[in-house]
Every structure is written in C-alpha cells, then in structure tokens.
Amino acid sequence: MTDTRAGTAATGTGARSRPRAALPALCATQITSWGIVYYAFPVLNPQITAATGWPAGVTAAAFSAALLVSAVAGIRVGRIIDRHGPRTVMTTGSVIGVLSILIVALAPNLPVFIVGWLLAGLAMASTFYQPAFAALTRWWAPDHVRALTIVTLAGGLASTVFAPLTAALADHLSWRATYVVLALILAAVTIPAHALALKAPWPEPSISTTLHPVGSTDQVARTRPFWMLAVTLTLSAFTVSAAVIALVPLMTERGYTSTEAAWALGLGGAGQTLGRTLYATLARRTSPTTRTIALVALGAVTTAALALTPGPYALLVALSVVAGTVRGNLTLLQATAITDRWGTTHYGRLSGLLAAPTTTAAAIAPFAGAVVAAPLGGYPQLFIALAAVSAAACITALKTSPTKVASSQS
C-alpha cells in the first residue's frame, strides 16, 4: 500500500501533488480574466464607436484579431504547460492582459487600439480556459472532470458579474475610464493569484491518466476522428461566439436599452453555471459522440429561438439563460473531448491543436456577424444563419469516435 501511495504521488495523480490554493485561485482568475478581457467589450463597443467615430466593423475586427492571436499562441502555450507547468505562463499572461487593456483604454487612434487587442490575444491564450484546463487535468487526474466543472462553474459567472458591472461603470464614466478601472481590477486579482497559487511541482503524466495507449501527438492529430472533432467544435464555436457578441445589438435593434441587453447577456452567464452543474451526470450517462451531437443540436435550437422571439423582455432573458446553459455544457464538452477519446498524456498539446481552429472561428465570428448582419436583413436573420451552422456541426459530430487503429498505437 505504501508503494502504491508513493507511486501515485510521484506521478501526480494523488492529492498530495495538488496545490490547495490552485482551484479557488483559478476560479477567481477565470471570472476576472473572461469578464474584463472578453465580456466587457460587447458592452462597451457601442460607446467606443459613438465616442470615437471608429467604424463598428473595425473595432469588432480588432477584437476578432485578439481571438485569432490567441488561437495561434495557444498551441505553443499548451506545449509549454505540458513540459513546465502553468505558473510562469499564466502569471506572465496576467501582466500582459493588464498592459493590453490599458493600451486599449488610452489608445489615441485606431491603430494603437488594434495593437492593444493584438496584445490582449496573447493574454487570452495564457490565462483563459485552455491553460487552466491543462493545469487541472494534470494535477487533478483522474478526478479532473470535477475540478474542470468547478472552475467552469466559476468562469460562467464572468458575464454575470462583469457585464452589468461594466454597464454600471460606463453609465458614470467614459469608456476609457471604465477600461482603466477594469485593468486595475484585473491586476489586483489575477497577477498575485497566478504567481502565488500555482507553485506545486508539475507532475509527469502517469499510465493511469491515459484512457488507452496512443501514439505521438502528431499521430493522433492526423486521425479522422480528431479532424471531425475539430470541425464540429469549430462550427459550434463560431455560432456561440457570434451569438454572444451579437446578443446586445440583437436586443437593441428590437428597441431594448443597452442596459437591458447587458443584463440579458449577464444572466446568460448564470445559465452557463447552471448548465455546468449538469455536465457530470450527462457524461456518465452518454458516450462522447452522443453528447457531442446532443449539445451541438441544442445550441442550434436555442440560437434559432432567439432569432424568432421578438419579446417580451422576460422571455428573451429566459432564452438567454437557456442558451447559456447549453454554452456551459459545450465548454466542458471541449475541455474533456481529448481525455474522453485519447487520455491526458498529451493533453496540453492536443487541446492546443484542437483549440486553434475553434478559437480562430470564435475570432472571426464577431467580425463576420457584424459584417453580414445588414446584408442578411438584420440580427434575427443572422441568428437563423448561425443556427444552420450549428445544425451542420451535428453531421460532422457523427464521425468523432476514435478508431481502433488510433487507440492501439504505441
């Protein structure tokens, strides 16, 4: 028994190797990082364009560029975390995040504004879910689903907390001053949390944390199920990202105030938290492929419902909450997609490869939505088109089960 415990601790699968402060710290930093670097933008963008005269399509493109940078940088970030752990990466990312938001806030012109968002993309890659998931998957395996659920439950509150807070600040301050205040909050919460709470030794992955023997990262990445999984999650991510960013203009186009729209967006975050409490039960009762199809299909249904429902306000809020519930499950679906099929040995690298196209789609989506909404006839028509994209993802999801060849590689 002693030898077993020693081996467990050495491989990093035992509780001894888990930094006690890491999980609560990552909960706090996910709420703050997502809330400020991501969710503040759709609330402030109308005020930004009104105050500066910059085209809404261009400011949305700057935000999309940040997500694109995050997609590319995330591959390298995953490899670094696999080898060295999350502390340096996430602490540095927090510092970069603060600097990027300050640059955005103080930008004297559009080019500097864009540079600020490009820098923010590096912060996203280093502080958002992917590095947190890699840390928790290694430290908490084989009980990582519980840890992932907890941190995403907290992360789901990001819009609930920061969309209304941002709107409240913007009611009394300029958009620039609002971003400065948010940058100070980001610095106070995330830099010390990442620096002080992620200090535990970084364990090697053990055989027990591997679902079944797999080959190298490149061998897995070349299989058809991996590519189909990437396509499925990419199409779904495009829909989710475009719908989240477009919810505020969808509602303001229908005559609701920006504050009402911000509350609807924020309460959708509460729905994400609710959805994530249900994921563990769903995972126990369904296969990876079945739940992938089911959740992507529900995403299509809720997006279409928002398109077809002009009001009343309470009903739109309810639909936003339901859509958030689906989004919450989709986040955990992506977080566990690698381990469900190929284990945790190459989690950081494989999840980075998987996240690259999905984050790229999320990067393109806000800009694409802003550009095509008018030609389509408005935001309701945009949401119908997005629902069709999710429906297409259900088809590719059918082919995401690992093949026997892939699972037998050594």
Side-chain angles (χ1 to χ4, degrees), residues 148-172:
L148 294 175
T149 301
I150 291 171
V151 81
T152 54
L153 284 173
L157 296 174
S159 62
T160 306
V161 173
F162 281 96
L165 175 61
T166 301
L169 288 171
D171 283 341
H172 299 88

Side-chain angles (χ1 to χ4, degrees), residues 46 56 80 90 99 106-107 110 125 158 174 206 210 239 245-246 249 315 336 368 408:
I80 293 171
M90 298 192 77
L99 292 176
L106 303 175
L110 192 52
S174 69
S206 69
T210 303
T239 299
I245 300 300
L315 181 56
T336 58
S408 64

Side-chain angles (χ1 to χ4, degrees), residues 209-371:
T209 65
T210 303
L211 186 63
H212 47 63
V214 297
S216 67
T217 302
D218 290 339
Q219 287 175 316
V220 173
R222 286 195 297 265
T223 62
R224 182 181 180 184
F226 186 87
W227 279 101
M228 289 296 99
L229 181 63
V231 171
T232 299
L233 295 180
T234 297
L235 294 175
S236 178
F238 183 91
T239 299
V240 169
S241 179
V244 167
I245 300 300
L247 181 62
V248 170
L250 172 73
M251 295 189 64
T252 55
E253 184 177 285
R254 287 171 166 165
Y256 299 101
T257 67
S258 58
T259 299
E260 288 173 326
W263 272 104
L265 177 64
L267 291 172
Q272 290 183 199
T273 301
L274 173 63
R276 287 162 186 167
T277 64
L278 306 175
Y279 185 80
T281 300
L282 182 64
R284 287 193 300 267
R285 297 182 178 181
T286 60
S287 69
T289 300
T290 299
R291 64 177 167 273
T292 300
I293 296 170
L295 290 173
V296 172
L298 286 172
V301 170
T302 54
T303 303
L306 285 167
L308 299 173
T309 307
Y313 178 71
L315 181 56
L316 285 171
V317 169
L319 286 174
S320 179
V321 172
V322 174
T325 301
V326 177
R327 289 199 308 272
N329 278 279
L330 286 169
T331 300
L332 282 169
L333 179 74
Q334 180 168 341
T336 58
I338 297 298
T339 52
D340 283 344
R341 294 166 172 84
W342 297 284
T344 65
T345 301
H346 307 296
Y347 180 87
R349 173 68 168 161
L350 285 174
S351 65
L353 289 172
L354 187 64
T358 60
T359 308
T360 299
I364 295 170
F367 173 72
V371 168

Side-chain angles (χ1 to χ4, degrees), residues 129-144:
Y129 279 142
Q130 285 306 123
F133 288 165
L136 295 174
T137 297
R138 183 73 68 86
W139 269 324
W140 261 258
D143 193 29
H144 56 281

Side-chain angles (χ1 to χ4, degrees), residues 356-385:
T358 60
T359 308
T360 299
I364 295 170
F367 173 72
V371 168
V372 306
L376 287 175
Y379 280 92
Q381 290 79 3
L382 171 64
F383 273 64
I384 289 292

